Amino acid sequence: MATPNEPAAPMTLSNDEVLRYSRHLIMPEVGVEGQQRIKAARVLCVGTGGLGSPLALYLAAAGVGTLGLVDFDVVDYTNLQRQIIHTTGDVGRSKVQSAAEKIAAINPFVQVLRFEAKLTSANAMEIFREFDIIADGTDNFATRYLVNDACVLSGKPNVYASIFRFEGQASVFGAGSGPCYRCLYPEPPPPGSVPSCVEGGVLGVLPGLLGVIQATEVIKLILGAGDSLIGRLLLVDALAMRFREVKISRDPECPVCGANPTVKELIDYEQFCGVRSQESSGAVVQVPEIQPEELKRKLDGGADVFVLDVREPHEYQICNLGGHLIPLGELPQRVHELDRSREIVAHCKGGVRSAKAVAFLQGAGFEKVSSLAGGILAWADKVDSKMPKY
Amino acid sequence: MIRVIIPAHLRTLARVEGEVRVEVEGVATQRAVLDALEERYPMLRGTIRDHVTQKRRPFVRFFACERDLSHEAPDARLPDAVIAGTEPFLIVGAIAGG
């Protein structure tokens, strides 16, 4: 059974609310008492992006009385393919403001608490204090571990989902006797080893699927109804349209929820996830880099520079510099196509894969090789504004 | 023939789509399956198990038949349904997209 959240005090429903929630009220699993619980509930949506959009929209429509929104970001065009709480007219605006307006339009009975800030170790506990349930819709490992630890330390359930390409994972962590996120994944992958949605892409409807699963789990926790995903990990494969469920257990040696915890307060999660070293070097691997303007000067000046594109063929079709295409994964088998006497500039979308390619080529004895800093996106920003960005 | 499902980004790395099938000689164990997988796709070495210790990486889990096999001994026999090919051996990795 899910963990019920007792409302602080019974909340009455107005006639307008009775009408609005009538399809809930006629279900015995919800009824007037359940709807009052939903109205009394305080739910925090961490992130108002792909997952946060359907999550917040459905929780608002369902009548969650207090919805918190945390996000520091602004809406951009690449968000609109999946972040359905935001519209074309919102591009450039604060995501929290944009989302709050849509929630108000859907259900004026919902109180929205806005946190236009990045969730950090300094503010997480204070923000979480205002809420009963936390829903994690963030997009990076550092914030995932921060949300988990703050939930465990504050004793609040973490309704979790994550997505990549066609696949998603969902669970409810840190509630009652169930495992937490660290029980499942004690450590994050090294920076750059698992691509983000920015690098690897994501099917636009996938966060819809997973965000709605999160919303469902939130409502069930509020109602204390049904079997929650506590102790279960749901694996969604949208391409095969297959839902698998696996059992997961609490780790007695978990550093945050185990018998002898070593993490008793929030830590530096960017350091924990190795983000700082990645940002400071501009790439995962420290290799020689060339700035877009310098490459442009060399090419215009007729220098003998061989441009190596290590992206995938479908990315090459979107935009390219006319370089020789060898996807990073094929480089070891196709390295013979390269002339080690020539200067080689490798590039990808943002500079991570090309840094790996340069490190590989250096290890194979290539000496005149560098990575285009910031990839083809930086080229579009600094050299060719007509280049499509993706 | 053992059916193995690997994380999406590793499928890209190995240049495969969908399930991978590997032949295992002798007793089908986690170690035998992972050895066969890495022999066929050398680029996966170090991504699922540590290069040196050969231990499962902490951001990867093994499941089959709805059970978490992550803490099973590497030489423990896999479930019969996996050996029979009716259920896949799932290698699940952490993802963070949202």
Side-chain angles (χ1 to χ4, degrees), chain A residues 50-51 138-139 144 160 162-163 167 169 183-190 193 195 244-247 312 327 330, chain B residues 3 5 8-9 11-13 15 19 57-61 63 66-68 87-88 90 92-98:
Chain A
L51 293 168
T138 57
D139 63 358
R144 298 265 179 207
Y160 166 89
S162 59
I163 50 172
E167 297 174 13
Q169 301 177 11
C183 296
L184 182 65
Y185 300 121
E187 291 174 26
S193 65
R244 294 183 195 276
E245 177 191 320
V246 292
K247 293 184 181 69
E312 298 296 316
E330 297 178 13
Chain B
R3 297 161 54 199
I5 295 180
H9 71 285
R11 290 202 297 273
T12 304
L13 187 66
R15 307 214 153 257
E19 288 183 4
R57 287 182 163 263
F59 45 86
V60 173
R61 308 282 299 202
F63 298 99
E66 299 188 5
R67 282 171 44 212
D68 187 357
E87 284 291 327
L90 303 175
V92 176
I95 52 175

Side-chain angles (χ1 to χ4, degrees), chain B:
Chain B
M1 191 73 81
I2 308 284
R3 297 161 54 199
V4 184
I5 295 180
I6 63 176
H9 71 285
L10 297 184
R11 290 202 297 273
T12 304
L13 187 66
R15 307 214 153 257
V16 295
E17 291 178 8
E19 288 183 4
V20 175
R21 287 162 191 260
V22 293
E23 289 278 9
V24 172
E25 289 180 15
V27 181
T29 64
Q30 280 183 21
R31 192 193 305 276
V33 167
L34 294 170
D35 285 349
L37 187 69
E38 290 175 357
E39 189 177 331
R40 190 155 149 206
Y41 304 103
M43 62 286 273
L44 296 182
R45 287 188 181 129
T47 60
I48 299 165
R49 296 184 293 186
D50 184 275
H51 268 300
V52 179
T53 65
Q54 294 292 292
K55 284 187 176 170
R56 175 182 56 85
R57 287 182 163 263
F59 45 86
V60 173
R61 308 282 299 202
F62 303 143
F63 298 99
C65 308
E66 299 188 5
R67 282 171 44 212
D68 187 357
L69 306 180
S70 305
H71 295 292
E72 301 259 311
D75 294 317
R77 181 184 155 92
L78 290 172
D80 289 343
V82 174
I83 294 170
T86 52
E87 284 291 327
F89 180 67
L90 303 175
I91 300 173
V92 176
I95 52 175

Side-chain angles (χ1 to χ4, degrees), chain A residues 157-194:
Chain A
N158 170 12
V159 181
Y160 166 89
S162 59
I163 50 172
F164 178 66
R165 292 176 61 84
F166 292 95
E167 297 174 13
Q169 301 177 11
S171 190
V172 175
F173 292 123
S177 58
C180 78
Y181 182 64
R182 279 186 191 253
C183 296
L184 182 65
Y185 300 121
E187 291 174 26
S193 65
V194 176

Side-chain angles (χ1 to χ4, degrees), chain A residues 23-328:
Chain A
R23 299 297 186 276
H24 271 168
L25 301 181
I26 57 176
M27 290 198 298
E29 294 83 355
V30 183
V32 171
E33 189 187 335
Q35 193 63 48
Q36 287 172 334
R37 279 177 182 249
I38 295 172
K39 183 177 179 180
R42 301 168 300 166
V43 179
L44 179 66
C45 301
V46 186
T48 53
L51 293 168
S53 289
L55 174 65
L57 287 171
Y58 269 110
L59 292 181
V64 169
T66 305
L67 265 183
L69 305 175
V70 189
D71 211 313
F72 65 95
D73 210 356
V74 295
V75 181
D76 82 39
Y77 277 106
T78 66
N79 299 151
L80 301 177
Q81 156 259 23
R82 64 198 179 284
Q83 300 183 14
I84 57 168
I85 206 166
H86 312 298
T87 67
T88 308
D90 294 318
V91 170
R93 300 182 63 219
S94 146
K95 283 189 177 177
V96 165
Q97 284 188 28
S98 162
E101 287 172 10
K102 309 308 185 308
I103 289 169
I106 286 175
N107 191 346
F109 295 105
V110 175
Q111 181 192 15
V112 178
L113 301 182
R114 307 175 188 195
F115 301 93
E116 289 186 58
K118 184 176 181 184
L119 191 75
T120 67
S121 300
N123 63 19
M125 295 303 282
E126 192 179 336
I127 293 174
F128 281 25
R129 193 172 298 132
E130 304 291 320
F131 300 93
D132 312 311
I133 298 172
I134 314 298
D136 180 358
T138 57
D139 63 358
N140 62 85
F141 284 108
T143 316
R144 298 265 179 207
Y145 282 94
L146 166 60
V147 170
N148 178 73
D149 291 2
C151 280
V152 173
L153 293 173
S154 60
K156 294 180 179 174
N158 170 12
V159 181
Y160 166 89
S162 59
I163 50 172
F164 178 66
R165 292 176 61 84
F166 292 95
E167 297 174 13
Q169 301 177 11
S171 190
V172 175
F173 292 123
S177 58
C180 78
Y181 182 64
R182 279 186 191 253
C183 296
L184 182 65
Y185 300 121
E187 291 174 26
S193 65
V194 176
S196 66
C197 293
V198 175
E199 273 211 305
V202 61
L203 186 70
V205 298
L206 184 71
L209 266 174
L210 273 295
V212 170
I213 288 169
Q214 280 181 290
T216 310
E217 290 303 297
V218 168
I219 298 290
K220 283 162 55 188
L221 284 178
I222 294 168
L223 295 174
D227 296 320
S228 91
L229 280 176
I230 296 170
R232 296 187 288 154
L233 179 68
L234 188 66
L235 304 169
V236 178
D237 177 352
L239 206 53
M241 199 46 87
R242 183 168 287 127
F243 290 65
R244 294 183 195 276
E245 177 191 320
V246 292
K247 293 184 181 69
I248 51 176
S249 312
R250 199 162 180 172
D251 177 3
E253 295 178 11
C254 174
V256 66
C257 78
N260 298 296
T262 52
V263 178
K264 296 175 181 174
E265 58 184 23
L266 300 179
I267 60 172
D268 183 336
Y269 293 91
E270 295 199 339
Q271 187 179 50
F272 177 63
C273 294
V275 177
R276 288 228 172 111
S277 57
Q278 183 183 2
E279 285 175 351
S280 61
S281 68
V284 178
V285 187
Q286 193 79 50
V287 296
E289 288 190 331
I290 184 170
Q291 295 300 316
E293 299 92 331
E294 190 186 342
L295 176 61
K296 167 77 170 158
R297 275 195 298 276
K298 285 194 173 191
L299 293 172
D300 288 349
D304 182 29
V305 177
F306 183 84
V307 177
L308 172 64
D309 191 332
V310 297
R311 298 176 300 155
E312 298 296 316
H314 59 272
E315 294 179 88
Y316 196 90
Q317 287 176 1
I318 301 169
C319 58
N320 63 73
L321 305 179
H324 186 75
L325 178 66
I326 303 181
L328 179 62

